[in-house]
Each structure stands twice: as C-alpha cells, then as structure tokens.
Amino acid sequence: MEKIQFKTQIWTGDGSLKGLEDISGERIFVVTDPFMVKSGSLDKITVHLESKNELEVFSDIQPDPPVTKIVTGIEALQKFKATLLVAVGGGSAIDATKAMKFILKQMTKGETDLDLIAVPTTSGTGSEVTNFAVITNSDKGIKYPLVTDDILPKVALLDADLVASAPQNITVDTGMDVLTHCLEAYVSINANDFSDALAEKGFQMVFTYLERVSKDGSDMEARQKMHDASCIAGMAFNMVNLGLNHGIAHAAGAQYHIPHGRLNTILMPHIISYNAEMDAGIMEKPNRAAVKYANLARLIGIQVANPKIAVRSLINTIVQLRRKLKMPATFQEYGLDSELFESTKDEISEAALKDRTTSANPRVPVAADVKSILEDSFS
C-alpha cells in the first residue's frame, strides 16, 4: 500500500502575491538572501504584508547554506518572537528556512512549530513543495539532505513576476534542474502512477518552454510555465526521491561550488547512459530504466521502436538542448581545475554513494561506477 498526499497549498498565476494580504496579526520572520534586499525585489513581497503584520527580515543567507547561518537565523527569530515564517528566494533561502523550522521544533520539543510560506524566486528547485532540504557542513565540505514531513511548507506561492528579471544563466541552470528532477523521479525505484504523471508533464513543459524563455526572458507565459513545471517536478520527486544524478551533484557541489543545475546538466547524459546500460549495446534487451526513458523520448516526438535507440536519441536531444542554452558540456569546459578534480574524485564518489537520493537510483552503483561517470563528465 502507498499513501500519497499533498499537504502544501499552491497559489499560482497572475496576482498570486495579493493572497498575502489576507494575513494579519502575525510576527513574520522573512528569510531571504542579500541580493533580494539590495535589488529591491523583496519589496514586491513585503508590500503585501507590512500593513497588517510585524516584519523582521533575515538576509544572512548564502548559496549552499551552512549550519552556522541556520543557527544564527534561529537565534534571530526567537528574539523577534516570530509566529510565521516566510522564505523568499531560491533553494538556498527556502532550504535554510526549512532547517530553521525543523531545528526550532526539535529544540522546543514540539512546542514551537511555525507555519512556513515559501515564495520561490527561481524556477528550479521545487523546494516549495518538498520535504527535502540540503544544508552544508562547510568545515567538512559535506552536504546533508534533511528529509522529513515536518519541513513541508504550508503554502507555495508561484508568481512569475518574481522571476521575470532572472538572468539567462540562472534561468537555464534552474530549468535544467527541473529536467533532472523529472528524469530521476520517472526512473526512481519508488516511481508510481501518480509520480509518473507529474514527471511526464514536467518533462514536456521543460522541452516546450525552457528554450523559449532562455531566448526571451520577457516571455511571461514561458516564465509562468517553467515556474509551474518546477513545482510539478518537485511534487513528483517528493513522492519517490531522486537518484544518482543528484547524489553526485550534492557531493561534487560541496567540493566544486558549481551551480547545482549546471552540475546536474553536465552529469545528465552520462547518468542516463549508465542507468539504461547503454554500454551493453543497443540490441540487448532494455532494462526498466531504458524502457521508461524511451517513454519520455516519445513524449517529445522521438518515434523509435527500439527502446535503447530511443534512449540514445533522447541523450542526443538533451545534449543539443544544453548546447542551445549555452551551457558547458564538461567540468573542464566549465573551468574546473584538473588537479582539484583528481584529488577529490575518490572522496566525491564515496560521498555520492552515501547520499540519500542515490538510494532510489534504478541501478545500484559502486564507487568505480561513480568515478567513471565523473571522469566521463570531466572532459
């Protein structure tokens, strides 16, 4: 038996931000990053809250939020006597707020469990609807996934106006992260009919709208569709977990600090090939992952009877999309130092195997498999 539920209420489309005006009498602790404050973008959210509530803004958030920043945030929200959390930003801000919510609840033995409204300003992580958060131990260079329903936001607010000014590199990095979420959820060992339906829809939306918005950031239809696709993909993987692509990306990201979506995109063709056992030859009987990848290929017009040939075409199509989006194909092309790579690849391989997302991968990898994928991704 499977139990499937969606606890987060989703506000989406034009005017979603106005829904915040119904909130009153709260002490709202707003967690965001410095850029949101300096650019004035945060004002688009706070203007809907400040007349009926008391606000405190905590903007000491950085990419790959370290545990130290989360502790500082908890101290600040306790001093403010917060009654509601609002997270505004990309995955880092939302994940940091989730961690604050969880740790505070543990510290108070369940007496303080604040509601969380997540307002994403990037279209990629899906963090606004997931029970996942990733925090970093900066001293050890390790990312830790936090997985518990205790961190699910009460509301996810999806307003494309908040991503309208996102630069092209952020747009494509986050958009390709959505594609990774769809691919991994679809072939996860935990996949079911409900997650498949969401992953398929998100996958199609990425191929329909990502290149459009990459070329024209003012295309608000494409902006909203990618914002929705990010959320849809988040709902899919929240049910069934992810896979080795994210397992390696978490481990390598902690070492190399390559943007998460860009890192996923470099790894993606090699992960698909590994999962579908493409090295065994295209005439060999396809495994489950190959059959499922072939299903996705058909959704974007790849009509090939042989599943493994369809997978090969899917990989080629993803590589072509990556090129059109002007993204690097290898770590070396990104600019990663070869000596750093050689000195860290063994450690990354071991860390990737321990990552909780790797446990749902359709093939069970060993360290040599991960190292081979990393080496193929380097040059």
Side-chain angles (χ1 to χ4, degrees), residues 4-9 194 198 235-236 239:
I4 297 168
Q5 60 184 349
F6 299 103
K7 289 186 174 182
T8 304
Q9 188 178 87
F194 299 89
L198 291 163
M235 293 165 74
M239 272 193 276

Side-chain angles (χ1 to χ4, degrees), residues 218-279:
S218 65
D219 184 339
M220 292 309 293
E221 179 190 20
R223 285 281 188 200
Q224 187 66 56
K225 291 292 188 181
M226 283 304 303
H227 217 37
D228 290 346
S230 173
C231 186
I232 289 168
M235 293 165 74
F237 81 75
N238 194 55
M239 272 193 276
V240 298
N241 204 342
L242 289 162
L244 182 60
N245 203 323
H246 270 78
I248 297 176
H250 289 156
Q255 294 279 356
Y256 303 148
H257 305 292
I258 299 173
H260 178 68
R262 192 151 295 212
L263 184 48
N264 271 329
T265 308
I266 291 170
L267 295 165
M268 189 185 300
H270 307 291
I271 296 290
I272 295 172
S273 180
Y274 170 76
N275 284 340
E277 297 179 335
M278 296 300 287
D279 58 347

Side-chain angles (χ1 to χ4, degrees), residues 134-310:
V134 179
I135 55 177
T136 302
N137 184 322
S138 300
D139 294 335
K140 295 183 178 180
I142 298 174
K143 289 189 175 185
Y144 296 106
L146 175 63
V147 187
T148 169
D149 284 349
D150 286 343
I151 63 175
L152 276 168
K154 183 178 181 180
V155 173
L157 198 160
L158 310 178
D159 194 317
D161 285 344
L162 297 175
V163 293
S165 61
Q168 193 269 350
N169 64 314
I170 300 295
T171 297
V172 299
D173 283 351
T174 53
M176 289 300 279
D177 195 22
V178 176
L179 185 62
T180 316
H181 293 158
C182 294
L183 286 162
E184 293 209 283
Y186 201 63
V187 299
S188 164
I189 61 172
N190 305 312
N192 56 52
D193 290 341
F194 299 89
S195 63
D196 279 359
L198 291 163
E200 287 172 358
K201 181 62 177 178
F203 179 84
Q204 289 176 298
M205 291 171 78
V206 171
F207 273 94
T208 302
Y209 295 105
L210 181 54
E211 188 179 354
R212 258 179 62 176
V213 77
S214 172
K215 290 178 179 178
D216 180 9
S218 65
D219 184 339
M220 292 309 293
E221 179 190 20
R223 285 281 188 200
Q224 187 66 56
K225 291 292 188 181
M226 283 304 303
H227 217 37
D228 290 346
S230 173
C231 186
I232 289 168
M235 293 165 74
F237 81 75
N238 194 55
M239 272 193 276
V240 298
N241 204 342
L242 289 162
L244 182 60
N245 203 323
H246 270 78
I248 297 176
H250 289 156
Q255 294 279 356
Y256 303 148
H257 305 292
I258 299 173
H260 178 68
R262 192 151 295 212
L263 184 48
N264 271 329
T265 308
I266 291 170
L267 295 165
M268 189 185 300
H270 307 291
I271 296 290
I272 295 172
S273 180
Y274 170 76
N275 284 340
E277 297 179 335
M278 296 300 287
D279 58 347
I282 61 173
M283 301 312 295
E284 292 296 316
K285 182 178 179 181
N287 64 11
R288 169 184 168 276
V291 171
K292 297 204 76 175
Y293 286 134
N295 289 342
L296 291 178
R298 283 188 279 274
L299 293 177
I300 56 171
I302 298 172
Q303 302 298 333
V304 181
N306 182 315
K308 296 192 82 170
I309 295 178

Side-chain angles (χ1 to χ4, degrees), residues 39-59:
S39 66
S41 298
L42 186 65
D43 296 342
K44 295 179 181 179
I45 292 92
T46 57
V47 70
H48 298 286
L49 293 169
E50 56 196 6
S51 65
K52 300 178 184 177
N53 305 278
E54 295 293 325
L55 303 186
E56 175 85 4
V57 175
F58 179 82
S59 61

